[in-house]
Amino acid sequence: MMYQSTRDPHHKKYSAAEVIKMGLAPDGGLFIPESIPALTFENITELCGDSYSIRAAKILSKFLTDYTYEELLADCNAAYAETSFPGGAAPLVNIHDHIYSLELWHGPTAAFKDMALQIMSRLLSRALVKTGETNDALILVATSGDTGKAALEGYKDIDRIKIMVFYPVDGVSRVQKLQMATQTGGNVNVCAIRGNFDDAQTGVKKIFGDADMAAKLLEKGYVLSSANSINWGRLAPQIVYYVSAYCDLLNSGALKMGETMDVCVPTGNFGNIFAGYIAKLMGVPIRHFVCASNKNNILTDFLRTGIYDRNRDFHLTMSPSMDILISSNLERLLCLTAGEERTAMYMESLKKDGVYTVDSDVLAAINENFSGFFADEAATADTIKTYFESYDYLADTHTAVALSSAEQYITTLDSAEVRPIVVDSTASPYKFAADVYESLGKTQPADPLEALDELANATGTEIPYPLRSLAKREVRFTRVIDADDMPAAVLEWC
Ligand SMILES: *Cc1c(COP(=O)(O)O)cnc(C)c1O
């Protein structure tokens, strides 16, 4: 299985290891597999009897053909171990009637990015060997909170990799700051920046584009690499849980082989939902995808009109991981639907004017599989309250956006048309404890750390292990620097 760029009509091929090491294609496009491997009903039946790790290894082995099955199984066993994901990696919970929650947040940072980052680090470590790279990899991350912590947990103590995370000193929550400052691992570093997230992000981008810096790092034995959500190494592991959810519906008797399910995904960068679409193309019986957005509903508009227009107000919401105006991974769907040449044109137009309009045949093809719905802040809060009071299910803010969207989608169907719908639950409610607590009709405590205990007391649910006793952990990283000093800080550490 080889990979090619979404913008290259000549289809230059790359191996999986190269693609995972490179992240982005040289022409600025994203990597996609040259073809989609098939998953037969016999394959799916076999997966039904397997653990999550084995399901993951079997599915990944269809895409990462330059990795052996034994390597993938070892990495999946390590990534999805019971110690990291107590109770299982991606449990499917029936909330009510046809609505199921696919809980992707049982990992080390209590959010769904763990599902990919726990394994991608191991895949990158092997990619260095497979591509004959003699240097080690240095991962640099600018974060507004959650991605940085998930990346730190994913890369800590991984062979031949170092990771350094920069965050805006006043731009992350107290809980997020504590999570990063207390990070363990011998190969990790965390540094606060005086400035906002953009300053941190610009600083990291500058280092990536600086030839002089690259030469200095090479002298020290490092090549730069990124942990971005556009990396195929993050997308491929996300395909697994859609297959796994279908197996779990078969195992529970909710579906018979071949019967379809719907899927609803709280969407930001379009990575998670695109992984689900790949599962469908492989052969998993998925009928339709509901793309759920918060008040930043650029994708809802796109799926309804074919116009992607980022010239609009940006809103800060209580589901911050979906506060995004450029959904990078949408490019992959455009490529599969419209081809490389039209995709390159759309992306050029987005870069130049901040807007593109897809042709009507493209929109029609996309709408066969995807519809867009959104929940504003009031609808999100209302969903959290209703789901807790009526169904005894405590959802986080992102999951609530998806639950609201799933309900809206169901109302467009005749009752005979309603199928089981798998709603991705992307964060523990405790990750956004203060907003969840307030949505239940309570007053937020002054100290955000207190919100965790208050939420536990009010709902009788448990704080997940990564968020327990945060205040008691050893603080390891306290450094605050100017953005201009980022290159020096990196070199000094290496
Ligand atoms: C990153 C994230 C999302 C969005 O996922 P995409 O793959 O970017 O669409 C949704 N919810 C949470 C909690 C996240 O961290």
Side-chain angles (χ1 to χ4, degrees):
M1 166 75 64
M2 299 294 277
Y3 294 79
Q4 59 202 40
S5 166
T6 48
R7 297 185 196 175
D8 176 17
H10 306 298
H11 299 169
K12 182 172 170 5
K13 306 288 189 223
Y14 299 84
S15 71
E18 285 175 303
V19 156
I20 289 170
K21 192 173 108 183
M22 292 167 72
L24 202 64
D27 58 6
L30 310 191
F31 288 113
I32 48 169
E34 59 181 344
S35 63
I36 306 292
L39 205 56
T40 63
F41 285 178
E42 285 87 76
N43 293 151
I44 296 176
T45 303
E46 193 190 308
L47 291 168
C48 283
D50 292 331
S51 68
Y52 190 83
S53 296
I54 296 178
R55 287 175 184 173
K58 284 181 177 169
I59 292 160
L60 285 176
S61 71
K62 290 180 179 279
F63 288 97
L64 311 181
T65 50
D66 44 345
Y67 292 66
T68 66
Y69 178 72
E70 286 67 33
E71 288 173 333
L72 292 171
L73 185 60
D75 287 349
C76 290
N77 279 334
Y80 302 118
E82 176 73 20
T83 43
S84 299
F85 290 85
L92 187 69
V93 178
N94 185 214
I95 306 183
H96 71 94
D97 302 302
H98 290 284
I99 298 202
Y100 291 80
S101 174
L102 179 58
E103 294 183 345
L104 304 172
W105 45 262
H106 291 276
T109 74
F112 103 102
K113 290 189 175 60
D114 292 333
M115 296 297 297
L117 282 165
Q118 284 295 312
I119 178 117
M120 168 165 165
S121 52
R122 299 166 207 277
L123 300 177
L124 173 63
S125 183
R126 290 195 196 275
L128 295 175
V129 178
K130 289 178 191 295
T131 57
E133 179 64 61
T134 52
N135 298 290
D136 287 359
L138 172 65
I139 308 274
L140 296 183
V141 181
T143 186
S144 52
D146 287 339
T147 305
K149 178 63 185 177
L152 286 164
E153 279 295 329
Y155 287 84
K156 78 167 182 208
D157 295 329
I158 297 286
D159 212 23
R160 296 190 56 188
I161 301 179
K162 269 187 182 220
I163 176 165
M164 187 158 187
V165 169
F166 297 96
Y167 70 89
V169 67
D170 295 319
V172 304
S173 74
R174 166 129 190 260
V175 174
Q176 287 171 327
K177 201 177 282 188
L178 260 178
Q179 279 188 298
M180 289 190 278
T182 58
Q183 177 65 43
T184 59
N187 62 337
V188 306
N189 198 348
V190 176
C191 198
I193 298 297
R194 286 183 205 97
N196 57 26
F197 171 65
D198 277 338
D199 298 321
Q201 171 112 314
T202 306
V204 166
K205 280 194 180 154
K206 260 196 206 153
I207 295 175
F208 270 95
D210 183 343
D212 181 47
M213 190 67 191
K216 284 183 182 148
L217 284 169
L218 207 56
E219 233 168 73
K220 295 173 181 283
Y222 291 98
V223 288
L224 286 170
S225 190
S226 78
N228 265 324
S229 82
I230 46 169
N231 193 308
W232 179 255
R234 264 182 76 171
L235 248 164
Q238 299 184 347
I239 300 167
V240 175
Y241 45 74
Y242 293 97
V243 184
S244 181
Y246 189 77
C247 289
D248 290 347
L249 286 173
L250 291 177
N251 283 346
S252 74
L255 286 181
K256 290 203 255 321
M257 179 59 83
E259 288 179 343
T260 58
M261 63 181 185
D262 289 325
V263 165
C264 175
V265 185
T267 298
N269 223 345
F270 211 78
N272 198 2
I273 195 169
F274 182 77
Y277 181 58
I278 298 274
K280 170 168 180 162
L281 295 179
M282 291 179 81
V284 179
I286 299 173
R287 180 176 63 174
H288 202 70
F289 291 92
V290 176
C291 175
S293 299
N294 65 22
K295 199 175 168 195
N296 294 293
N297 57 356
I298 187 164
L299 285 167
T300 317
D301 289 346
F302 170 70
L303 290 169
R304 290 179 185 179
T305 63
I307 303 169
Y308 193 95
D309 187 357
R310 64 162 299 198
N311 304 308
R312 59 173 69 211
D313 290 339
F314 175 76
H315 305 285
L316 290 173
T317 72
M318 59 176 145
S319 46
S321 300
M322 298 160 73
D323 290 343
I324 281 178
L325 289 184
I326 297 217
S327 295
S328 314
N329 277 295
L330 186 58
E331 179 171 346
R332 288 189 159 109
L333 178 65
L334 292 176
C335 181
L336 294 187
T337 314
E340 291 84 0
E341 278 171 60
R342 280 198 280 179
T343 300
M345 261 168 43
Y346 298 149
M347 291 304 115
E348 197 50 42
S349 164
L350 181 66
K351 196 166 147 198
K352 209 165 113 260
D353 306 317
V355 55
Y356 60 86
T357 306
V358 297
D359 302 287
S360 57
D361 63 307
V362 174
L363 181 62
I366 289 177
N367 282 153
E368 276 181 27
N369 290 299
F370 296 89
S371 308
F373 293 88
F374 76 98
D376 63 16
E377 295 290 271
T380 306
D382 194 47
T383 303
I384 291 172
K385 192 160 194 277
T386 307
Y387 265 71
F388 184 67
E389 286 174 358
S390 306
Y391 310 118
D392 203 21
Y393 191 81
L394 189 63
D396 100 288
T397 48
H398 304 73
T399 307
V401 166
L403 289 168
S404 165
S405 300
E407 301 269 3
Q408 293 173 54
Y409 162 72
I410 289 171
T411 62
T412 68
L413 304 174
D414 287 338
S415 57
E417 287 176 334
V418 179
R419 313 275 322 143
I421 181 162
V422 169
V423 177
D424 282 9
S425 176
T426 50
S428 156
Y430 286 91
K431 189 106 203 192
F432 301 93
D435 285 320
V436 169
Y437 188 64
E438 186 169 299
S439 300
L440 294 174
K442 320 263 187 197
T443 312
Q444 286 197 17
D447 179 353
L449 266 184
E450 245 170 62
L452 293 159
D453 293 321
E454 298 282 343
L455 188 61
N457 289 338
T459 61
T461 57
E462 261 187 43
I463 304 176
Y465 82 93
L467 298 172
R468 272 176 226 151
S469 56
L470 260 183
K472 295 198 195 101
R473 291 184 206 165
E474 183 205 350
V475 172
R476 297 181 64 204
F477 303 102
T478 52
R479 199 165 168 202
V480 187
I481 62 171
D482 290 328
D484 288 343
D485 295 332
M486 287 167 65
V490 169
L491 287 172
E492 187 187 308
W493 183 51
C494 289

